[in-house]
Amino acid sequence: MLRTPVVFLTGASGEIGHTLIERLSEDGSRPVITLDLKPLDPSIAPRVARHFTGSILEPQLLERILSEFEVDQVFHLAALLSTRSEFTPVTAHQVNVEGTMAMLEFAQKQGESHGRPVVFLYPSSIAAYGMPGLDVKAKAGKVKEDDFTNPTTMYGCNKLYCEQLGRYYARHYKQLAPETLSGKVDFRSIRFPGLISAFTVPSGGTSDFAPEMIHAAAQGKPYACFVRPDARIPFMAMPDAVDALLQLAAAPREKLTRTTYNIGAFAPSAAEIQAIVEKAFPGAEITTKVDAKRQGIVDSWPADVDDSAARKDWGLSPRYDLDRAFQEYLIPNIRKAYQG
Ligand code: AKB
């Protein structure tokens, strides 16, 4: 029986999955199959060839997918985000690390069975960094991929380790075996900044204060921001994040000098975000109620990232700076969404 070549997304019901499915189905070059603990939202379900409701930690389910489909590309999006992971570190390790390990093995087996490298896209995060203090954070400016990689969160540790696991599968897998087995997984990872979507609100993250503030204001709900006005981390509008994943997936392998790349678009403080939101939604009721512990996590993330390697190697070029993200993407789409 012939297996159908497909793109496979895990964590498909999450924030990135939503937009990525739309883009992959518009492109139409390969059918999309998806996996998530939850069924797909009815608005996107018709766009996928097959959805599996289940966990990346169920070996039989992955075996079944392996037997039915010829997977050429994996977007492994399933993860527990930073705030949630601090409450349940063991579960975070299971999902974020053991789940990723299961997916890397899955991709390795796929690559061995159809003989082509499986392009494996892995969203890492600015949480992989750990700035030692606010003074260093302020002085460091745009942080490079190999600096300050001492994360303070479980999620950050998980992401950093999985970047290394991916690099191992791509370059050194079973290096003592007589035949060369590495290279079957073509691992490519992006360290995402905080992401802001006009259509979905994230849950369980620590960069959530920005999207929460915007979506609350658009709905006329009061919002108490959990970080100080001067808190600063990089952000990106969701369409640019998905474009970046697709661009990196399509990049010629020989152009890639690294397996993990920073990307960024704008790096406003919470006060700057609040000012734009108040201008866009004049009735917005935004206050500040600092959660010292979540603030500590945001303080440990860099104020901005150096994404010159991504720009040089695979042409990263985000469309939305802070102003355009609000004026052309967030405000018009969010207004429409909440007007019903
Ligand atoms: C989180 O806040 O956990 C995520 C991230 C920055 O990776 N949005």
Side-chain angles (χ1 to χ4, degrees), residues 35-86:
L35 172 63
D36 200 286
L37 291 173
K38 291 189 277 189
L40 280 184
D41 189 279
S43 64
I44 47 165
R47 293 178 178 259
V48 314
R50 182 95 158 263
H51 177 69
F52 294 87
T53 303
S55 163
I56 48 172
L57 295 169
E58 282 172 56
Q60 295 88 340
L61 184 53
L62 292 183
E63 280 294 315
R64 195 170 129 211
I65 295 170
L66 186 71
S67 72
E68 276 187 56
F69 297 97
E70 204 172 277
V71 175
D72 279 332
Q73 242 179 31
V74 174
F75 290 86
H76 173 40
L77 310 176
L80 246 65
L81 296 183
S82 54
T83 292
R84 191 153 297 152
S85 295
E86 286 312 300

Side-chain angles (χ1 to χ4, degrees), residues 3 66 130 139 150 156 192 214-215 222-223 248 276 286 306:
R3 296 180 307 160
L66 186 71
K139 276 199 213 109
N150 289 307
F192 279 113
I214 302 165
H215 283 262
Y223 183 69
L248 179 58
I276 297 186
I286 303 166
D306 178 333

